[in-house]
Amino acid sequence: GAGVSQSPRYKVTKRGQDVALRCDPISGHVSLYWYRQALGQGPEFLTYFNYEAQQDKSGLPNDRFSAERPEGSISTLTIQRTEQRDSAMYRCASRKQGAGANVLTFGAGSRLTVL
Amino acid sequence: ILNVEQSPQSLHVQEGDSTNLTCSFPSSNFYALHWYRWETAKSPEALFVMTLNGDEKKKGQISATLNTKEGYSYLYIKGSQPEDSATYLCAFSHQGGKLIFGQGTELSVKP
């Protein structure tokens, strides 16, 4: 697509439920990143992929968080047994290659609220 | 641990003032330094990416410099305008491709 598309834009869920957040990167972009952003804070790194391979998942807070990109395009970030502290904006970004010289293009984000 | 620090945390200036924002990052295993502009309720948008020590980039009244040996980058806005009000984020990557953001500098330009 023309831009990075994320869905849902807003998700309200009850504590203990599982949620899946989807990211559709720009067509042809090799690298896909997931960030979490609290209000007024910079994006906090969660994980990233080159093609379908998860290169680094060191930012995932705990084992309730997982991500996949099975065909090297669309990615899903899954949060199991959600807790109130998981409430945040989850941003996806993609770029042409994994090399550092290419900029990230961000999606609009998925705002998660856990009640 | 990769730590990216930005200063000041917030900055309030008058229209026409020039501003200088600082980003410090680990100088070892450096690969690239990015600057992004983020307006509330929108997504961060890329301003610059720099990879070489001494790099200077310019876009309109905004410019950036890079010192990889000492681990800092400056973002300079000449003659700030109210529309420059935003949070400016820097991000560092080493050769592994992981991109780590600082907390940002929130700039407010009053008319």
Side-chain angles (χ1 to χ4, degrees):
Chain A
V4 178
S5 178
Q6 291 189 245
S7 62
R9 289 291 309 277
Y10 302 92
K11 177 69 177 179
V12 180
T13 191
K14 292 183 178 180
R15 187 178 56 182
Q17 297 294 305
D18 298 350
V19 297
L21 307 177
R22 172 189 163 115
C23 174
D24 193 352
I26 292 174
S27 179
H29 275 197
V30 167
S31 302
L32 184 149
Y33 293 72
W34 282 101
Y35 289 90
R36 181 168 64 178
Q37 191 169 20
L39 199 62
Q41 301 292 311
E44 174 193 4
F45 173 81
L46 295 177
T47 185
Y48 87 99
F49 296 82
N50 283 342
Y51 300 100
E52 72 283 357
Q54 192 169 21
Q55 299 293 317
D56 189 319
K57 57 179 182 179
S58 61
L60 295 176
N62 50 61
D63 60 8
R64 295 186 297 106
F65 287 72
S66 63
E68 63 175 7
R69 194 186 185 198
E71 297 179 1
S73 179
I74 292 170
S75 177
T76 303
L77 177 70
T78 301
I79 309 172
Q80 296 179 311
R81 305 180 303 281
T82 52
E83 301 178 3
Q84 287 184 329
R85 59 178 172 159
D86 299 333
S87 297
M89 175 72 84
Y90 289 84
R91 292 197 187 274
C92 173
S94 69
R95 61 177 173 177
K96 289 181 182 179
Q97 295 176 0
N102 292 295
V103 298
L104 293 177
T105 300
F106 281 86
S110 292
R111 180 166 294 285
L112 174 65
T113 302
V114 182
L115 302 176
Chain B
I1 297 176
L2 300 177
N3 209 22
V4 180
E5 300 285 345
Q6 290 189 246
S7 62
Q9 188 174 350
S10 64
L11 191 57
H12 300 268
V13 301
Q14 291 294 131
E15 182 175 357
D17 289 349
S18 293
T19 62
N20 212 20
L21 313 181
T22 302
C23 173
S24 63
F25 53 87
S27 54
S28 60
N29 296 320
F30 173 87
Y31 197 90
L33 192 286
H34 298 220
W35 281 99
Y36 292 79
R37 182 176 185 274
W38 174 40
E39 293 182 61
T40 305
K42 294 185 178 179
S43 300
E45 293 184 346
L47 289 172
F48 308 113
V49 57
M50 296 175 287
T51 58
L52 299 176
N53 185 45
D55 262 353
E56 292 188 26
K57 294 287 179 78
K58 186 174 182 180
K59 183 183 290 187
Q61 297 298 98
I62 304 177
S63 60
T65 61
L66 178 67
N67 183 322
T68 61
K69 293 183 179 180
E70 297 183 35
Y72 65 83
S73 174
Y74 293 135
L75 186 77
Y76 178 70
I77 304 175
K78 181 180 178 182
S80 304
Q81 299 297 307
E83 54 266 32
D84 293 324
S85 297
T87 296
Y88 292 85
L89 297 163
C90 73
F92 160 86
S93 73
H94 59 46
Q95 292 186 351
K98 180 177 178 178
L99 199 65
I100 301 297
F101 281 82
Q103 291 302 301
T105 293
E106 185 180 1
L107 174 65
S108 174
V109 184
K110 294 187 177 180

